[in-house]
Amino acid sequence: MKYLNTLQGRTASLAVLLAVSASALAIAPAAHARDGLEIEANVALVSDYRFRGVSLSDKDPAIQGGFDISFASGFYVGTWASSIEPVGASELELDLYAGFAFEAGGAEFDVGALLYTYPGESDAHYWEFYGSVGFTTGALESTFGLAYAPEQDNIGGEDNLYIFYEAAYPLGETGLSLTGSVGYETGAFGDPDGDGNDKWDWSLGVAWTALGVDWSLAYIDTSENFREGNATAVLSISKAF
């Protein structure tokens, strides 16, 4: 499970994840083979895999990748994976999702469902619904969203709610963008340090493109007082195809 198993062992499933990413890249050239169908792959290397402010890689680097298939109707399906600190017998997070994206009233909407799986561990998978709305005010790009996981045995028979705001602001002609986010979580994953208070997380960083890849550097922190939730700086290098 997301926050309760981050103290076990070291990440070791990089070869499996690289195979997943390689498969995605192999089909990427077919992205525009058919009208109305687009396939996009992505790979990334991060200095720490932070999920809603909490490290899922034991504060070690992680390799990540996935691909999406989008249709002209707005419907899409996809998968994404990351190396992680072991969750039971699994050292890989593999997410499967499907949703619908559309524009209305000058805003971009996205709704769907996501399944978190951990290959090799049968009692850790769970699923959630998500939704977001994004819009631009001047140069400021904003996104409000939420994710809700209904009660499930694999998250302790509880539900979970995460609400967030993300923003990006281009810094003139520098090619840099200032980024930031804040999130609130309550429920099954809302109190990882066990102090009885719900979790807040926040970040502030900068993003840019150089050498043909996308870079970001962000300061990330949470309201929780435990090792995986303490403040850190995360460097990310990513590429979409």
Side-chain angles (χ1 to χ4, degrees):
M1 283 178 272
K2 284 286 180 185
Y3 303 146
L4 305 181
N5 299 280
T6 56
L7 300 179
Q8 310 170 35
R10 289 184 58 84
T11 300
S13 292
L14 300 188
V16 175
L17 183 55
L18 283 171
V20 172
S21 300
S23 298
L25 295 179
I27 64 173
H32 302 286
R34 297 181 181 179
D35 292 340
L37 175 65
E38 182 176 346
I39 301 174
E40 181 178 88
N42 59 85
V43 293
L45 177 65
V46 296
S47 61
D48 184 1
Y49 171 23
R50 290 271 168 155
F51 179 75
R52 299 173 184 172
V54 175
S55 176
L56 300 189
S57 59
D58 196 26
K59 305 186 79 170
D60 288 332
I63 187 168
Q64 304 172 337
F67 65 92
D68 301 275
I69 302 175
S70 303
F71 301 88
S73 63
F75 178 75
Y76 63 87
V77 295
T79 184
W80 181 87
S82 178
S83 57
I84 57 171
E85 188 67 3
V87 172
S90 179
E91 296 174 325
L92 179 71
E93 175 186 332
L94 178 62
D95 301 342
L96 308 171
Y97 51 87
F100 182 70
F102 61 97
E103 295 184 12
E108 298 180 351
F109 295 84
D110 186 7
V111 294
L114 188 152
L115 175 66
Y116 298 93
T117 72
Y118 303 88
E121 180 60 38
S122 60
D123 297 326
H125 62 273
Y126 68 98
W127 61 280
E128 69 181 14
F129 298 110
Y130 61 83
S132 67
V133 55
F135 55 90
T136 301
T137 306
L140 178 66
E141 299 176 0
S142 296
T143 301
F144 288 93
L146 61 83
Y148 177 71
E151 294 181 8
Q152 297 161 70
D153 290 342
N154 286 348
I155 56 175
E158 297 183 68
D159 63 356
N160 192 75
L161 175 66
Y162 183 70
I163 303 171
F164 67 90
Y165 170 73
E166 297 176 347
Y169 189 86
L171 299 176
E173 302 299 322
T174 65
L176 303 175
S177 290
L178 186 65
T179 63
S181 69
V182 61
Y184 168 77
E185 190 161 31
T186 183
F189 303 131
D191 183 20
D193 69 356
D195 67 355
N197 297 317
D198 291 336
K199 177 175 69 70
W200 288 85
D201 66 84
W202 53 89
S203 70
L204 182 64
V206 62
W208 69 98
T209 299
L211 304 176
V213 296
D214 297 322
W215 303 74
S216 70
L217 179 64
Y219 169 86
I220 300 174
D221 199 2
T222 76
S223 60
E224 302 299 290
N225 185 24
F226 75 124
R227 180 175 178 273
E228 285 74 19
N230 291 341
T232 191
V234 174
L235 176 66
S236 171
I237 307 170
S238 61
K239 178 70 173 180
F241 302 83

